[in-house]
């Protein structure tokens, strides 16, 4: 089983749609969770951290379910500029200070 | 402006040659990381360093070497022992204390070895 698994995608949605990405992780000791966005041939950029209580940043909402070891990202009112690959990222936990594990990513294409 | 710089953006080398990729940050971050990304795959950790003069192997360290002589700099050498060196190499840094897991990336170096 991979340490971090994401929806395979790709997702193709019209502008204005709501889209959700799911991610599961295998290390129950993981304590920090993130969503990164990566544009084509560019570096990943931190989109948002994911907190236990869930958190929202504008059109983006992240949820964490520790019992199920599951993370989600919801994008409302999709824009053309949201087209990118979304990476689910989890810290290794334990003594592996700062070590992150990245999912393979889910490709999102928003079309007019 | 604070940030992470990587140079060069594109690098071409012949098989059998060692090559060093540069990574510099002026964010005063304690920790620095090197990743490799292959097409259609996630990032894989090569090496990381939490403080100056200390570094640890990541998941795919074979064929690579690093140094951390200054807080701002974390160069990566791809040696001739690395069997499949062609990839997109990304350097990252994180604040360390307080927010140890938030990592910020440089623009990357695309290495092609023929």
């Amino acid at each position: 089983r991979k340490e971090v698994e994401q929806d395979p995608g790709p997702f193709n949605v019209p502008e204005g749609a709501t889209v959700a990405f799911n991610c599961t992780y295998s290390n129950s000791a993981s304590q920090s969770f993130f969503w990164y966005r990566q544009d084509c041939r560019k570096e990943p950029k931190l989109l948002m951290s994911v907190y236990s209580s869930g958190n929202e940043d504008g059109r983006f909402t992240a949820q964490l379910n520790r019992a199920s070891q599951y993370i989600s990202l919801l994008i409302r009112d999709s824009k053309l500029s949201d087209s990118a690959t979304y990476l689910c990222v989890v810290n290794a936990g334990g003594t592996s200070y700062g070590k992150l594990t990245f999912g393979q990513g889910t490709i999102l294409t928003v079309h007019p | 402006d604070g940030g992470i710089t990587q140079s060069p953006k594109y690098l071409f080398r012949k098989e059998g040659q060692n090559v060093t990729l540069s990574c510099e940050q002026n964010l005063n971050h304690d920790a620095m990381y090197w990743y490799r990304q292959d097409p259609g795959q996630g990032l894989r950790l090569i090496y990381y360093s939490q403080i100056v003069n200390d570094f640890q192997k990541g998941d795919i360290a074979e064929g690579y070497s690093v140094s951390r002589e200054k807080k701002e700099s974390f160069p990566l050498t791809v040696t001739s022992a690395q069997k499949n060196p062609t990839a997109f190499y990304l350097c990252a840094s994180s604040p360390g204390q307080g927010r140890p897991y938030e990592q910020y990336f440089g623009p990357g170096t695309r290495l092609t070895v023929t």
Side-chain angles (χ1 to χ4, degrees), chain A residues 81-95:
Chain A
S81 57
D82 293 334
S83 297
T85 298
Y86 290 83
L87 305 172
C88 176
V89 184
V90 176
N91 89 300
T95 58

Side-chain angles (χ1 to χ4, degrees), chain A residues 50-73:
Chain A
V50 186
Y51 302 119
S52 295
S53 55
N55 48 300
E56 187 174 309
D57 183 1
R59 297 181 294 107
F60 299 84
T61 300
Q63 295 282 348
L64 169 64
N65 183 323
R66 285 187 186 274
S68 301
Q69 294 180 205
Y70 171 94
I71 307 158
S72 66
L73 177 69

Side-chain angles (χ1 to χ4, degrees), chain A residues 32 36 38 43 97-99, chain B residues 33 37 59 96 101 103 106 110:
Chain A
S32 298
Y36 277 73
Q38 186 173 24
E43 74 273 22
Y97 176 91
K99 183 179 174 187
Chain B
Y33 309 81
Q37 187 175 35
D59 301 318
Y101 303 115
Q103 294 186 13
R110 292 193 180 273

Side-chain angles (χ1 to χ4, degrees), chain A residues 3 31-32 34 36 38 40-46 49 51 87 91 93-100 102-104, chain B residues 9-10 31 33 35 37 40-43 45 48 50 59 88 90 96-97 100-108 110:
Chain A
E3 291 186 62
Q31 296 182 7
S32 298
F34 307 92
Y36 277 73
Q38 186 173 24
C40 188
R41 300 181 67 80
K42 299 286 190 180
E43 74 273 22
K45 293 187 177 176
L46 179 62
S49 301
Y51 302 119
L87 305 172
N91 89 300
T95 58
S96 298
Y97 176 91
K99 183 179 174 187
L100 299 180
F102 288 74
Q104 290 186 306
Chain B
K9 190 172 181 179
Y10 298 95
Y33 309 81
Y35 294 89
Q37 187 175 35
Q41 296 192 33
L43 279 68
L45 182 65
Y48 64 107
Q50 299 172 19
D59 301 318
F88 186 35
L90 289 155
Q97 297 300 317
Y101 303 115
E102 287 184 6
Q103 294 186 13
Y104 300 89
F105 287 83
R110 292 193 180 273

Side-chain angles (χ1 to χ4, degrees), chain B residues 69-90:
Chain B
E69 297 177 1
K70 299 187 298 182
K71 188 174 183 179
E72 301 80 16
S73 179
F74 191 40
L76 173 75
T77 297
V78 184
T79 75
S80 57
Q82 168 49 233
K83 295 190 188 328
N84 297 296
T86 295
F88 186 35
Y89 289 88
L90 289 155

Side-chain angles (χ1 to χ4, degrees), chain A residues 2-25:
Chain A
K2 292 181 181 176
E3 291 186 62
V4 179
E5 290 199 69
Q6 297 186 236
D7 278 350
F11 287 70
N12 292 290
V13 302
E15 273 187 290
T18 295
V19 61
F21 304 140
N22 303 317
C23 171
T24 57
Y25 60 95

